[in-house]
Amino acid sequence: GQNIDQPTEMTATEGAIVQINCTYQTSGFNGLFWYQQHAGEAPTFLSYNVLDGLEEKGRFSSFLSRSKGYSYLLLKELQMKDSASYLCARGGGGSYIPTFGRGTSLIVHP
Amino acid sequence: EPEVTQTPSHQVTQMGQEVILRCVPISNHLYFYWYRQILGQKVEFLVSFYNNEISEKSEIFDDQFSVERPDGSNFTLKIRSTKLEDSAMYFCASSDNRPSYNSPLHFGNGTRLTVT
C-alpha cells in the first residue's frame, strides 16, 4: 500500500499559522498532492510537489522531502473558511494516480 | 471555470438493483476517474479510463462494476446488483494529462448512493 499517514484532527485560531504533516511510503514515489475537502463537497486541488523543497501559492505552501517520505502543508493567516479536511495523496507504485490518505480535519476557531 | 458535473446528486436504490452514475468531464480532458468515499472514511480510487479503455483499476473495482464512455461527453459508472456496502459518495474526476502540477484531478460534486 501507499501507507500515507496524517494527523486525524487539528485545531487552530483565526489569523494563525498551521502546519499539517504527511508521511508516506517512499518506494515508487511519483509526486505528492494536497487537496482540500469541505464537508459534503468534492476535493479541490491545492498543490503538487515532485521535487524537494517548498512550493508557495498565496496563503498556502507545501513542502516535500523525498528522502524522508515527508510533506507538509502550511496555511497562513487562517480564516474560518479554511475549516475543512486536508487530504494528502501520492502517486506511486508504478502509477501516477493519486492515492489518498485519511485526511486531517482542521477546525479554525475565532 | 469549466467543471466536472455529476448526476444525480443523490440516488437511493434497493439491494440487488443496478445503478448508473453519470458524469460529464471537462471537455478538453482526456483522463477520467471514479473514486468513492464511504462516510467518514478516505477517498478511494476505483478506476481510471484513457483512450476509450480502462488504464488502471483497484481491488475494489471487481466484476460488479463497469465504466463506459458512450459518447463524446459522458462517462458512466455502472454497479450491477448493488450491496449495502456500496453506499458511499461516488466522485468522478478528470485531468487533461497524467496527474501532475499542471494536470491535477478536477473532481465533480459527487453522487451520494444509498443502498437499502
Side-chain angles (χ1 to χ4, degrees):
Chain A
Q2 307 288 341
N3 291 339
I4 299 168
D5 289 312
Q6 317 177 224
T8 304
E9 188 175 290
M10 299 181 71
T11 59
T13 306
E14 193 175 16
I17 298 173
V18 72
Q19 177 175 313
I20 302 174
N21 296 324
C22 171
T23 58
Y24 60 87
Q25 184 177 336
T26 57
S27 61
F29 175 74
N30 269 334
L32 195 290
F33 301 83
W34 283 97
Y35 279 79
Q36 180 191 62
Q37 186 180 27
H38 285 99
E41 297 184 11
T44 56
F45 171 73
L46 292 177
S47 69
Y48 174 75
N49 295 72
V50 68
L51 299 176
D52 290 351
L54 189 68
E55 295 276 348
E56 296 188 75
K57 208 182 203 182
R59 292 190 300 115
F60 294 2
S61 304
S62 58
F63 171 84
L64 179 70
S65 168
R66 288 173 296 171
S67 62
K68 295 180 180 174
Y70 169 68
S71 174
Y72 67 73
L73 181 70
L74 193 71
L75 293 75
K76 303 176 187 175
E77 300 168 19
L78 280 172
Q79 302 173 9
M80 298 296 289
K81 67 178 183 179
D82 296 330
S83 294
S85 280
Y86 291 86
L87 313 181
C88 175
R90 58 155 283 181
S95 171
Y96 289 87
I97 292 172
T99 298
F100 287 86
R102 293 188 173 276
T104 298
S105 177
L106 175 66
I107 301 168
V108 180
H109 55 83
Chain B
E1 185 175 324
E3 55 183 30
V4 176
T5 57
Q6 291 185 243
T7 54
S9 55
H10 294 87
Q11 174 91 50
V12 181
T13 190
Q14 288 189 325
M15 195 167 51
Q17 296 297 304
E18 175 182 287
V19 294
I20 297 176
L21 309 183
R22 302 181 190 279
C23 171
V24 178
I26 294 173
S27 61
N28 64 336
H29 284 186
L30 302 176
Y31 293 74
F32 314 118
Y33 315 84
W34 284 100
Y35 283 77
R36 78 173 184 189
Q37 187 174 32
I38 295 170
L39 189 63
Q41 298 190 23
K42 64 181 179 179
V43 176
E44 298 176 293
F45 169 69
L46 294 178
V47 66
S48 63
F49 194 86
Y50 170 71
N51 200 26
N52 286 319
E53 59 182 21
I54 290 173
S55 49
E56 290 188 50
K57 60 182 182 179
S58 71
E59 293 176 350
I60 302 169
F61 193 87
D62 59 21
D63 292 343
Q64 179 194 11
F65 295 89
S66 62
V67 289
E68 193 177 30
R69 187 152 164 85
D71 52 44
S73 59
N74 291 283
F75 180 52
T76 62
L77 175 69
K78 181 189 292 185
I79 310 174
R80 300 181 200 88
S81 189
T82 50
K83 300 177 285 199
L84 294 176
E85 54 265 38
D86 294 328
S87 296
M89 181 75 92
Y90 287 81
F91 291 109
C92 174
S94 68
S95 62
D96 62 355
N97 207 327
R98 288 188 312 188
S100 69
Y101 180 82
N102 290 323
S103 183
L105 269 64
H106 294 260
F107 284 84
N109 284 328
T111 294
R112 179 161 297 286
L113 177 65
T114 302
V115 182
T116 61

